[in-house]
Amino acid sequence: MRISAHGIRADLPAGWDGRISRRPNGQAVLQAANFRLPLEDGDFATTATSTMPPDGVVVVLVEYEPALAGSGLFAPPGPPQVLTAADFNPATMLRRIPGQAGVQRFFSNGGRAFCLYAVIGSRADATALAARATALLGTLNLA
């Protein structure tokens, strides 16, 4: 299934759920998961991650003010193309949940600043779950 809005497009793998919305300040947020997302959630999908199954993957892309693009945390060009098991760490979680691990990557693309936040439901299966997150990243198109 393809989702597209606010200059972001992604082709969700089979069985994934996702949406793209706009924050009150005008920046876009993409949320995607390999399970059903809750109807309402915060920008970084804290409700989804608190209820995700051990084989769950959540990928979030949050846009920030364009003035931040290309500098500081947002200096790297992106988005990242690959996430590996080693990228995921429990310390990266917004809320630590036993067994889960997350990764954050800040980048700029086309004059826009973004944070990519991904969470996997089980560190024990990190290699396979990181590959699922990477599959979604390969479909991102940021116009």
Side-chain angles (χ1 to χ4, degrees), residues 8-11 30 59 61 79 107 116 136-142:
I8 298 174
R9 186 181 77 220
D11 293 319
L30 172 140
V59 176
L61 188 67
F107 66 93
L116 171 74
L136 176 70
L137 293 180
T139 75
L140 280 180
N141 185 322
L142 308 173

Side-chain angles (χ1 to χ4, degrees), residues 61 70 73-81 105-114 116 137 140-142:
L61 188 67
L73 281 174
F74 300 97
Q81 297 299 303
R105 293 289 183 265
F106 296 86
F107 66 93
S108 292
N109 190 84
R112 298 168 75 184
F114 293 96
L116 171 74
L137 293 180
L140 280 180
N141 185 322
L142 308 173

Side-chain angles (χ1 to χ4, degrees), residues 12-134:
L12 302 179
W16 281 59
D17 188 20
R19 62 178 159 249
I20 302 170
S21 60
R22 190 175 290 277
R23 298 161 89 189
N25 64 2
Q27 277 68 49
V29 175
L30 172 140
Q31 296 175 333
N34 66 345
F35 58 94
R36 187 173 175 89
L37 290 168
L39 292 177
E40 293 192 22
D41 207 342
D43 289 347
F44 288 93
T46 54
T47 301
T49 58
S50 69
T51 60
M52 71 190 286
D55 65 345
V57 176
V58 173
V59 176
V60 174
L61 188 67
V62 178
E63 183 179 10
Y64 287 85
E65 294 292 328
L68 297 170
S71 64
L73 281 174
F74 300 97
Q81 297 299 303
V82 176
L83 295 174
T84 68
D87 293 324
F88 288 86
N89 187 312
T92 309
M93 298 289 297
L94 292 174
R95 291 185 191 159
R96 283 198 179 190
I97 297 172
Q100 293 184 3
V103 60
Q104 289 184 29
R105 293 289 183 265
F106 296 86
F107 66 93
S108 292
N109 190 84
R112 298 168 75 184
F114 293 96
C115 173
L116 171 74
Y117 178 61
V119 176
I120 56 174
S122 171
R123 291 182 68 206
D125 200 16
T127 300
L129 297 177
R132 290 181 189 168
T134 295

